[in-house]
């Protein structure tokens, strides 16, 4: 199913922007509007936008003419849709109007054309119900302004055909957008649905006279949000917010109708930017926000918990997969993190407590914890592992394209024959380290601790990198939380030096920041000449916080450690070998093979009891005075004297055979 010719119905704010995006991607597009003056305005806005791009050097003079040349304007719907492969309707958000427009489109377009609605909230199934071929109708929700916002939600109705969905999804990529899959038709889809309970919360705050808009906005900005919620609602239009809440009250939960405070603004014509005033007075496109102290009636966790709760409900209902929700909120709300990564940094218990309190405080069940949070299954749900009653089949979702995590983020592979275990990082393309990776690593190391079949552990990364570092987009609720994350990383990485087995870090590709720290806690490091190593933390306003600031100087001495940490300089495996950080250097193509060979050799050659004792003597000894260290060494010798491994080692040596150590 090829999409080449596109028609956009409705040349307003969204319609003209969508036509611009489509034409910029090289597709011919017809822009239709029932009102000629709207078409004229759209043409002016389109040209002004392209002029701006031309001036800033984003497009050439030739490209400008080509883009304009591909757009034709029409006020005849039947003609406009006749040859289209894809028709996108962007008429006002009035259900009856949309139903009749979609009916008209499907009556006039080709039988095999795809018909998409840019509705913000209305269920596609409701709109498609009256179409001639509902299976060819779906949602294609752009964000404002379409030229800038990368996100589109591709929405399946109860009846949308899979090939229609797939073709539209692929087309969205061709026009330079990042599509997410909305697999089940829900009011508000993903991003607006996650916003819905927040709108209610902000309405209730004013309704109960708990704070002024400027105080809440000052608070939101103090927490790093790009725009305060009331400024944003003014920008979007208070009428839009009111209509959305009314629609959610009808379709999702009648408690969305609980707060009517915003309706008063709407009734008095205060709609925000478009009417010149709303919560604030607007001048030259900017809100005049009175100076205010940040409100203290809520904290960031309240807002984020409400978002997480709605995200969990969406997953439970099978509307979208966690990875798509994360991308949707990040791109749709211009945030550095979405609700899934925020939830990863919090416990089920704290979110549940927050939501229960909010639900009681505002007397609404909308904030009450979702089923999975109520039953302590937050982790399973956000990792996509929980069986939700209506969750879409994996084959249907294709979520793997975005999936930053599939299965466990660290895989354990143990081989009793070779006595070598592999811990393989498998989290995102660059094996970024987050709290889930740490938890998984800790679990495996604890399981391996008394595993007498395993003598050597190789830490490896799936793909081309060991690890490019910590996942910086992970959310932390405050300094204590961030500090705790550092403590957890230190504790887990340290296990690699304490575990009574030889640990080998296979440093390849990017081995940066947290990935570099992971490797320096191992006993032995191997690399390729090309491995890229370094501590970029100080260039980001951080310090190596998983033991790197302490351990590197133990390995390399203070001078080298200070240089590498204070310059943030990247260096290669060859240099790492020269300064003794890396013990063996292997060709890139043979890295895994040679590392395994080394591991297998040490696994039979080195007596496990000796490895365990030697590690203690080296690492603990480096923290004590020479006398104590030497005393510890002689005690260790005494302990080794009675072991089976010592007897076996000596008799194998005398008999010129391979020893068979038991670790006793
Ligand atoms: N504005 C936003 O921020 C935004 C963001 C995402 C999605 N949307 C959705 O996009 C759609 C359009 O919103 P908008 O903000 O562009 O609205 P708009 O009012 O700016 O534009 C709507 C256009 O549709 C035209 N129109 C009305 N009836 C028509 C008909 N029968 N046939 C052809 N044209 C007709 C109007 O003349 C107008 O030009 C809505 O569904 C809205 O919810 C809006």
């Amino acid at each position: 199913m090829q999409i080449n010719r596109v028609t956009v119905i409705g040349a307003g704010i969204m319609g003209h922007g969508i036509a611009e995006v489509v034409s910029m991607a090289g597709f011919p597009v017809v822009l239709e509007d029932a009102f000629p003056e709207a078409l004229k305005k759209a043409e002016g806005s389109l040209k002004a936008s392209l002029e701006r791009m031309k001036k800033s050097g984003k497009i050439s003079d030739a490209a400008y003419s080509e883009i304009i040349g591909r757009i034709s304007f029409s006020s005849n719907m039947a003609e406009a849709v006749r040859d289209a492969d894809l028709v996108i309707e962007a008429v006002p958000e009035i259900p009856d109007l949309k139903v009749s427009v979609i009916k008209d489109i499907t009556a006039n377009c080709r039988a095999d054309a795809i018909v998409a609605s840019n509705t913000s909230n209305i269920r596609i199934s409701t709109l498609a119900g009256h179409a001639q071929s509902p299976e060819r109708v779906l949602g294609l929700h752009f964000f404002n302004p379409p030229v800038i916002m990368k996100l589109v939600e591709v929405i399946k109705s109860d009846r949308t055909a899979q090939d229609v969905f797939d073709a539209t999804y692929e087309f969205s990529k061709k026009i330079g957008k990042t599509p997410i899959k909305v697999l089940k038709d829900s009011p508000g889809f993903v991003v607006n649905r996650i916003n819905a309970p927040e709108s209610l919360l902000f309405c209730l705050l004013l309704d109960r006279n708990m704070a002024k808009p400027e105080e809440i906005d000052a608070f939101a900005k103090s927490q790093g949000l790009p725009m305060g919620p009331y400024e944003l609602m003014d920008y979007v239009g208070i009428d839009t917010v009111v209509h959305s809440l009314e629609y959610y009250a009808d379709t999702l939960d009648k408690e969305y109708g609980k707060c009517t405070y915003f309706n008063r603004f709407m009734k008095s014509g205060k709609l925000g930017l478009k009417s010149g005033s709303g919560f604030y007075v607007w001048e030259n496109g900017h809100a005049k926000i009175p100076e205010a102290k940040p409100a203290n009636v809520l904290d960031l966790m309240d807002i984020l918990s409400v978002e997480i709760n709605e995200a969990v409900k969406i997953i439970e209902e099978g509307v979208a997969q966690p990875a798509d929700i994360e991308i949707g909120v990040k791109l749709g709300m211009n945030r550095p993190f979405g609700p899934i990564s925020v939830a990863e940094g919090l416990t089920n218990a704290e979110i549940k407590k927050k939501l229960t309190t909010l639900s009681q405080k505002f007397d609404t069940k909308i904030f009450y914890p979702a089923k999975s949070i109520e039953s302590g299954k937050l982790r399973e749900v956000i990792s996509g592992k929980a069986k939700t009653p209506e969750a879409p089949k994996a084959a249907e979702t294709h979520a793997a394209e975005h999936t930053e995590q599939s299965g466990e983020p660290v895989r354990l592979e143990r081989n009793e024959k070779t006595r070598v275990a592999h811990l393989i990082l498998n989290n995102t393309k660059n094996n970024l380290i987050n709290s889930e990776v740490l938890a998984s690593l800790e679990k495996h190391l604890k399981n391996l601790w008394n595993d007498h079949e395993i003598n050597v552990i190789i830490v490896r990364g799936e793909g081309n990198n060991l690890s490019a570092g910590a996942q910086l987009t992970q959310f932390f609720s405050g300094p204590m939380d961030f500090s705790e994350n550092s403590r957890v990383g230190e504790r887990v990485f340290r296990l690699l030096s304490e575990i009574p087995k030889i640990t080998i870090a296979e440093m390849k590709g990017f081995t940066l920041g947290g990935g570099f720290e992971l490797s320096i806690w191992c006993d032995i490091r191997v690399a390729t000449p090309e491995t890229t190593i370094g501590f970029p933390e100080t260039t980001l306003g951080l310090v190596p916080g998983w033991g790197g600031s302490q351990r590197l100087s133990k390995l390399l001495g203070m001078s080298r450690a200070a240089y590498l940490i204070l310059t943030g300089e990247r260096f290669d495996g060859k240099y790492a070998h020269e300064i003794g950080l890396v013990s063996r250097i292997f060709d890139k193509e043979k890295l895994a093979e040679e590392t395994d060979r080394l591991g297998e050799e040490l696994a039979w050659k080195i007596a496990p009891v000796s490895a365990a004792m030697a590690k203690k003597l080296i690492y603990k000894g480096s923290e004590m005075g020479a006398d104590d260290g030497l005393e510890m060494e002689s005690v260790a010798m005494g302990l080794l004297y009675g072991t089976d491994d010592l007897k076996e080692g000596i008799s194998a040596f005398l008999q010129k055979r391979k020893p068979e150590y038991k670790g006793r």
Side-chain angles (χ1 to χ4, degrees), residues 25-266:
F27 296 93
V29 53
V30 181
L31 183 56
E32 194 272 351
D33 200 290
F35 302 93
E37 61 279 19
L39 274 179
K40 218 174 188 160
K41 192 173 164 203
E43 190 171 355
S45 309
L46 252 161
K47 285 186 175 158
S49 160
L50 291 168
E51 283 288 352
R52 278 195 297 274
M53 283 191 227
K54 202 165 75 170
K55 263 200 190 130
S56 65
K58 284 194 187 126
I59 56 170
S60 63
D61 285 358
Y64 174 92
S65 308
E66 283 165 24
I67 295 165
I68 295 279
R70 277 192 290 268
I71 307 173
S72 46
F73 299 86
S74 164
S75 48
N76 183 328
M77 144 95 79
E79 266 177 27
V81 301
R82 192 179 299 139
D83 298 325
D85 302 314
L86 169 68
V87 183
I88 305 168
E89 76 74 18
V91 301
E93 189 83 350
I94 304 165
D96 289 347
L97 173 65
K98 287 212 183 263
V99 166
S100 92
V101 166
I102 288 181
K103 222 166 138 184
D104 275 359
I105 296 171
T106 51
N108 287 292
C109 67
R110 285 198 333 257
D112 63 344
I114 297 174
V115 179
S117 171
N118 184 50
T119 172
S120 304
N121 294 313
I122 308 168
R123 289 190 69 224
I124 305 301
S125 307
T126 310
L127 301 178
H130 303 272
Q132 273 191 12
S133 41
E135 67 285 355
R136 307 203 64 76
V137 179
L138 81 170
L140 187 58
H141 182 209
F142 288 80
F143 287 71
N144 189 14
V147 180
I148 295 189
M149 298 294 275
K150 278 273 175 205
L151 182 69
V152 292
E153 293 178 329
V154 186
I155 307 139
K156 213 172 184 185
S157 83
D158 300 344
R159 296 168 69 179
T160 308
Q162 187 64 43
D163 57 349
V164 167
F165 184 79
D166 291 342
T168 313
Y169 184 85
E170 289 309 317
F171 177 74
S172 311
K173 289 200 234 165
K174 284 191 190 150
I175 57 171
K177 296 294 160 198
T178 304
I180 61 165
K181 297 186 175 185
V182 182
L183 300 154
K184 204 162 169 228
D185 206 3
S186 152
F189 318 117
V190 171
V191 178
N192 287 345
R193 165 107 188 245
I194 286 177
N195 248 320
E198 263 178 55
S199 302
L200 178 65
L201 175 66
F202 295 126
C203 189
L204 289 167
L205 281 168
L206 300 193
D207 195 43
R208 299 185 178 198
N209 207 14
M210 289 168 80
K212 293 190 180 129
E214 57 269 28
E215 290 167 346
I216 300 282
D217 280 357
F219 160 75
K221 284 189 193 160
S222 74
Q223 298 297 309
L225 295 184
M227 205 187 235
Y230 297 96
E231 186 184 356
L232 184 63
M233 285 187 272
D234 257 5
Y235 179 77
V236 170
I238 297 176
D239 51 335
T240 307
V241 180
V242 170
H243 289 140
S244 300
L245 284 171
E246 282 170 354
Y247 181 65
Y248 298 138
D250 284 346
T251 53
L252 275 175
D253 192 320
K254 66 176 178 357
E255 291 207 359
Y256 276 107
K258 216 178 169 93
C259 180
T260 54
Y261 194 89
F262 291 168
N263 301 44
R264 281 182 240 166
F265 281 83
M266 196 177 85

Side-chain angles (χ1 to χ4, degrees), residues 410-412 421-425 441 444-445 457-460:
V410 181
R411 205 168 65 237
L412 167 63
H422 291 86
L423 287 173
I424 303 169
L425 271 70
L441 199 58
H444 292 318
L445 286 169
I457 299 168
I458 294 173
V459 181
R460 172 171 285 164

